[in-house]
Amino acid sequence: MTAMKKLLEDIGLEPERLEMYNLSSSEGVRWRNDILEMLERVRKLGPNPLRNKETVTS
Amino acid sequence: MIVGTTKPIKELIAITDPYKRILAVGCGTCITVCYAGGEKEVAVASAALRIARKLKGGELVTVEQTIKRQCEWEFVEALDEAVANCDAILSFGCAAGIQTLADRYTDKPVLPGVNTQFIGMVLEQGVWAERCIGCGDCITHQTGGLCAVTRCPKGMLNEPCGGETPEGGCEVDETKTCVWINIADRMKKTGELEQVQHLVPLKRWSLSHSGGCREIAMESMQK
């Protein structure tokens, strides 16, 4: 995750757009809270700058 | 094995900037094992380059291909078709691989994706250490199987320099044990300690890279 966040930063995307949460299938409340946390973060960051550009393909 | 590290992505973005269609070539041997330029690293770097280009409003097409070894003609041939359709080749092989591609594809720019570091070994998961500088005249039979030429920063051949710390750390890098202490410990265990007092004769440095770029011709194996 550290390496991928650094990579995102180096190519010009906010590393905060990426996060990994470890939780089990029985942790429903935590799952909901994690999603809300990420949702709030992404709203603050704004739309993905690649969103309106053509699809990036190899 | 040859140990390398992937070039920083910012550097790759800069050196690929003039090109629109790049063939990113991974190497399936040493550089895969050290996680610098195998299939996975090539895929990650290629995706990062495409996104970075797109963020700047441009477009980059990458074609990815990983071959078993970039330093042998037999394996490199498989790239012919892909090379014909690209502007430049981004090699994730070691410097030997990069130059093999440059020798074969004389009309295409070849760019390095990897910084080749050294001949070394895996110390533990994710940690590599230099073990050979390729001096061309191995003397490890006189130094307990450990290479003082490589592992002593001062290249001391007959004994420690005297600057080691009381704990046995190297004067140049105290996090490492003085290799001459390692050599003595090992030769004591193997019953060879007396040999350590025999002077290692002057090395023939002309056999190393100091004598110029080397080639080896083995007649028995030549056509």
Side-chain angles (χ1 to χ4, degrees):
Chain A
M1 280 299 288
T2 306
M4 291 312 294
K5 279 174 174 278
K6 171 79 169 48
L7 183 66
L8 286 181
E9 192 174 3
D10 286 346
I11 63 175
L13 286 170
E14 300 88 345
E16 296 81 13
R17 290 185 184 278
L18 181 70
E19 204 60 70
M20 187 169 79
Y21 297 90
N22 284 313
L23 66 168
S24 79
S25 56
S26 64
E27 295 180 288
V29 175
R30 220 187 116 196
W31 180 71
R32 172 187 173 277
N33 291 340
D34 288 347
I35 287 175
L36 289 175
E37 180 188 304
M38 201 64 200
L39 189 62
E40 187 183 352
R41 191 190 296 184
V42 170
R43 278 186 174 142
K44 277 183 187 166
L45 289 168
N48 178 352
L50 290 166
R51 193 176 177 186
N52 295 322
K53 298 179 189 293
E54 288 174 27
T55 312
V56 178
T57 54
S58 65
Chain B
M1 64 186 278
I2 306 288
V3 180
T5 49
T6 315
K7 273 190 176 291
I9 195 69
K10 284 185 177 174
E11 197 176 333
L12 292 180
I13 291 170
I15 65 176
T16 56
D17 191 58
Y19 309 104
K20 290 186 172 176
R21 189 177 174 88
I22 283 173
L23 172 63
V25 185
C27 185
T29 312
C30 310
I31 299 297
T32 286
V33 179
C34 61
Y35 310 110
E39 197 171 355
K40 192 176 83 175
E41 291 76 29
V42 168
V44 170
S46 297
L49 289 174
R50 293 195 304 272
I51 293 171
R53 181 71 63 88
K54 193 65 74 176
L55 283 169
K56 287 199 298 182
E59 188 172 0
L60 174 69
V61 175
T62 60
V63 175
E64 299 151 28
Q65 195 167 339
T66 297
I67 55 177
K68 184 72 179 170
R69 275 196 287 284
Q70 279 189 36
C71 56
E72 290 195 45
W73 301 121
E74 292 87 338
F75 298 106
V76 171
E77 284 172 8
L79 300 171
D80 287 357
E81 192 180 334
V83 169
N85 296 311
C86 72
D87 300 333
I89 306 167
L90 179 58
S91 165
F92 287 83
C94 71
I98 292 166
Q99 290 171 77
T100 308
L101 300 187
D103 278 351
R104 182 170 180 86
Y105 304 112
T106 53
D107 61 343
K108 297 283 178 180
V110 178
L111 318 168
V114 162
N115 289 326
T116 308
Q117 303 290 351
F118 49 75
I119 301 172
M121 60 170 281
V122 181
L123 281 187
E124 57 183 272
Q125 173 69 23
V127 182
W128 295 266
E130 185 172 18
R131 287 293 178 262
C132 177
I133 63 165
C135 72
D137 184 24
C138 193
I139 56 162
T140 51
H141 58 293
Q142 293 168 291
T143 54
L146 308 177
C147 180
V149 178
T150 305
R151 297 169 68 171
C152 172
K154 299 180 184 179
M156 301 296 290
L157 291 184
N158 284 295
E159 58 184 7
C161 65
E164 69 273 15
T165 67
E167 297 76 30
C170 171
E171 183 180 53
V172 176
D173 179 358
E174 292 183 10
T175 65
K176 294 185 176 68
T177 305
C178 167
V179 73
W180 274 102
I181 291 177
N182 289 334
I183 289 169
D185 286 348
R186 195 173 139 69
M187 292 181 90
K188 192 185 283 182
K189 283 181 187 168
T190 58
E192 301 173 293
L193 192 57
E194 277 188 16
Q195 281 186 38
V196 86
Q197 293 174 15
H198 297 169
L199 286 178
V200 174
L202 290 172
K203 267 185 74 61
R204 291 174 290 172
W205 287 107
S206 59
L207 298 173
S208 75
H209 181 70
S210 299
C213 187
R214 294 162 284 178
E215 283 186 14
I216 296 168
M218 190 181 289
E219 282 183 27
S220 60
M221 296 303 292
Q222 289 178 301
K223 284 183 182 173

